[in-house]
Amino acid sequence: MIDTIEWQDTKTALATLADLSRDALHIYAALIIFLGACWIFRWRARSVKPWALVLLCQCINEYVDMQNMLADDGVIWIWGTIKDTVNTMILPTLILLAARYTSIFASVPDAALPDAALPDAAPPGAATKHDSNA
C-alpha cells in the first residue's frame, strides 16, 4: 500500500523544488511520462499506449489523493480530481490526436525530400565526392 502522506510530501517537495504549482506539476509529469514512454519503449506518439500509461499513472495518483482526502477530511473533493485529470491529460491527448490525424509528426523519407534539403547536398554545378572527375 502506498503511504498517502509520504506521497503528498513528495509531490509538495517536487513542486517546491521546481518552483511550480501543483497543477503545473501534473502537466510536466504527464509530458515526461508520455514522451519518456515513447522513448524508452519505442512507442509512437500516435499509439494509444503512451497516452494510456499517462492515464494509468494519473488514476493511481488520484486514488492516493482520494485516500489522503478521506483520511484528512472524510470527504472526496471530486472537482479537484477532475481538474487534476484534465490538467494531466490535455497535452498527451492533443499530442496523440495531432500524431494520428495530422502530418505534424510524419517522417519523410530522404528520397521524398528535394536535393537541397538533404544534409550533404552540394550547390548545383558544384563537384561532389561522387564525381569521377574530382
Side-chain angles (χ1 to χ4, degrees):
M1 184 75 175
I2 298 172
D3 182 357
T4 61
I5 294 181
E6 188 175 308
W7 180 242
Q8 295 302 320
D9 290 345
T10 301
K11 292 193 311 184
T12 300
L14 281 172
T16 302
L17 182 68
D19 195 26
L20 295 171
S21 69
R22 299 272 300 252
D23 290 340
L25 199 59
H26 279 265
I27 296 166
Y28 280 95
L31 285 175
I32 290 167
I33 293 166
F34 186 92
L35 297 175
C38 289
W39 182 55
I40 291 168
F41 301 117
R42 299 189 185 276
W43 292 340
R44 298 208 179 264
R46 67 179 302 130
S47 168
V48 75
K49 291 176 186 178
W51 183 91
L53 181 62
V54 174
L55 182 60
L56 175 66
C57 292
Q58 172 58 14
C59 288
I60 292 169
N61 177 62
E62 289 308 314
Y63 173 77
V64 174
D65 283 355
M66 286 182 205
Q67 294 299 314
N68 193 52
M69 284 184 237
L70 284 173
D72 284 350
D73 305 330
V75 176
I76 293 176
W77 300 99
I78 194 69
W79 292 113
T81 299
I82 292 170
K83 180 184 75 159
D84 288 348
T85 302
V86 168
N87 280 336
T88 301
M89 297 308 299
I90 191 75
L91 287 179
T93 301
L94 290 175
I95 293 170
L96 173 67
L97 293 174
R100 281 187 169 216
Y101 301 110
T102 71
S103 61
I104 292 173
F105 295 104
S107 61
V108 179
D110 287 346
L113 294 174
D115 286 340
L118 296 175
D120 293 338
T128 65
K129 62 182 175 185
H130 299 293
D131 290 341
S132 58
N133 298 348

